């Protein structure tokens, strides 16, 4: 599985960003993809997950109502997007796109525990 992320940036509080992730070599049928984040000195936190090829989504409580995960699938690529609105300084972190290849229930926690990920993209929110 190859994951390519983009979209991280520095914004002011209240602003918006859209993260993108393109996965090749990954199934679009009932897989699990999404995002987790890690701030300096903190543990990884699952942010949002989506069942690829399906409609199930799940969010961390800290981002519900502000972040939206979505997907676009082609024959060769699964693309996942994270629309982040009303950003807060506490959203500052490295965001990682992750894909789960094990048969486990799809959730933000599963992304942290089982997800394959790449280098991440930095999101910085200033007050």
């Amino acid at each position: 599985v190859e994951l390519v992320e983009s979209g991280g940036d520095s914004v002011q509080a209240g602003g918006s960003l859209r993260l993108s992730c393109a996965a090749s070599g990954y199934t679009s049928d009932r897989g699990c993809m999404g995002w987790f984040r890690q701030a300096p000195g903190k543990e990884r936190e699952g942010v949002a997950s989506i069942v690829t090829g399906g409609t199930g989504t799940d969010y961390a409580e800290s981002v519900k109502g502000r972040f939206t995960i979505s997907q676009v699938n082609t024959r060769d690529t699964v693309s996942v997007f994270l629309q982040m609105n009303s950003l807060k300084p506490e959203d500052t972190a490295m965001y990682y796109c992750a894909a789960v290849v094990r048969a486990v229930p799809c959730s933000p926690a599963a992304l942290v525990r089982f997800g394959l990920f790449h280098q991440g993209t930095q999101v910085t929110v200033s007050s």
Side-chain angles (χ1 to χ4, degrees), residues 60-75:
E61 285 296 327
S62 59
V63 306
K64 280 183 179 178
R66 300 187 297 123
F67 290 11
T68 303
I69 191 169
S70 60
Q71 63 182 313
V72 173
N73 300 328
T74 67
R75 185 181 64 181

Side-chain angles (χ1 to χ4, degrees), residues 13 15 45 64 83 95 120:
E45 177 190 21
K64 280 183 179 178
Q83 179 66 42
Y95 283 70

Side-chain angles (χ1 to χ4, degrees), residues 40-113:
K42 294 188 176 181
E43 295 188 353
R44 292 175 184 171
E45 177 190 21
V47 175
S49 62
I50 189 165
V51 176
T52 56
T55 59
T57 59
D58 197 5
Y59 297 90
E61 285 296 327
S62 59
V63 306
K64 280 183 179 178
R66 300 187 297 123
F67 290 11
T68 303
I69 191 169
S70 60
Q71 63 182 313
V72 173
N73 300 328
T74 67
R75 185 181 64 181
D76 300 319
T77 303
V78 178
S79 296
V80 176
F81 307 94
L82 187 67
Q83 179 66 42
M84 306 187 294
N85 298 328
S86 303
L87 282 162
K88 304 175 181 180
E90 50 264 44
D91 293 320
T92 295
M94 186 71 79
Y95 283 70
Y96 297 89
C97 175
V100 177
V101 296
R102 296 179 66 170
V104 296
C106 189
S107 70
L111 296 172
V112 174
R113 186 170 181 185

